Amino acid sequence: MWQSYLNGMLVAFGLIMAIGAQNAFVLAQSLRREHHLPVAALCVVCDALLVAAGVFGLATVLAHNPTLLAVARWGGALFLLWYGAKALRSACSKQSLQHQQGQGQRSRRAVLLSALAVTLLNPHVYLDTVLLIGSLGAQQSVPGAYVAGAASASLVWFSTLAIGAAWLAPWLARPTTWRLLDLMVAVMMFAVAAQLIFN
């Protein structure tokens, strides 16, 4: 059982730590201190559910249904391009973190819906979390322990990212830092969208 748990944790850590659309979104929300803990919790829950779905059968369904993957691919690319353009526009503006906070935070519902979109409209989440992690988990001697290990990795990573970035926010609350952060988010979204379109 513990071997399956550790395998799930190590595989998930290896994939989740790569800076992708989901991590960039959590980082930005955490530095803004805008509902960052609910966003991190939502990402953990989504990852756990997707890994469980992959381990217990969805990976096989997706592998044999190219239409579903194509829909996810193009829908995700369009969403990522839109979100990247939004971040790029913010990077080109003269607003600092304080100015953004002065305009009022978005509602928790709006932020969580954006987090869901970044998570579920990104086809990489299905390729990595469902197909790759799920397929490996289906071969474990104790698949449930593997899912628990992967979920633990997600919990540790997103909690650390959310709490650590929020803690650093006072030292990073300068206009230049925020332009660079928005630019990083934009580049990340465009890069993932390009991979989806041209691969």
Side-chain angles (χ1 to χ4, degrees), residues 12-199:
F13 261 131
L15 289 173
I16 204 171
M17 288 177 68
I19 294 297
Q22 190 183 43
N23 284 339
F25 183 83
V26 174
L27 178 63
Q29 292 306 122
S30 300
L31 287 172
R32 290 186 177 99
R33 294 184 177 181
E34 187 181 49
H35 309 297
H36 57 292
L37 294 178
V39 165
L42 179 70
C43 290
V44 171
V45 170
C46 285
D47 280 2
L49 291 175
L50 289 167
V51 169
V55 168
F56 298 113
L58 186 58
T60 305
V61 172
L62 287 177
H64 292 92
N65 196 328
T67 304
L68 281 178
L69 286 178
V71 168
R73 174 185 174 195
W74 290 104
L78 289 173
F79 171 77
L80 293 170
L81 287 171
W82 171 80
Y83 199 91
K86 184 179 169 186
L88 184 60
R89 186 177 69 182
S90 179
C92 294
S93 76
K94 296 182 178 180
Q95 293 178 334
S96 69
L97 173 63
Q98 288 81 5
H99 292 149
Q100 291 174 6
Q101 288 177 335
Q103 294 174 356
Q105 288 191 335
R106 293 183 294 169
S107 70
R108 180 181 297 173
R109 181 175 182 271
V111 171
L112 290 179
L113 286 174
S114 294
L116 269 178
V118 167
T119 299
L120 299 179
L121 293 180
N122 180 0
H124 279 287
V125 80
Y126 298 102
L127 297 175
D128 293 343
T129 309
V130 177
L131 285 176
L132 181 57
I133 298 178
S135 297
L136 291 172
Q139 302 169 31
Q140 298 295 312
S141 57
V142 186
Y146 178 91
V147 171
S152 298
S154 183
L155 176 63
V156 170
W157 173 253
F158 284 117
S159 297
T160 302
L161 187 62
I163 294 168
W167 181 71
L168 290 173
W171 291 276
L172 299 175
R174 295 189 297 268
T176 302
T177 302
W178 287 94
R179 288 192 191 109
L180 289 174
L181 174 66
D182 284 327
L183 186 61
M184 181 197 80
V185 171
V187 168
M188 185 61 56
M189 299 296 173
F190 289 146
V192 175
Q195 286 178 357
L196 296 174
I197 293 169
F198 298 112
N199 285 345

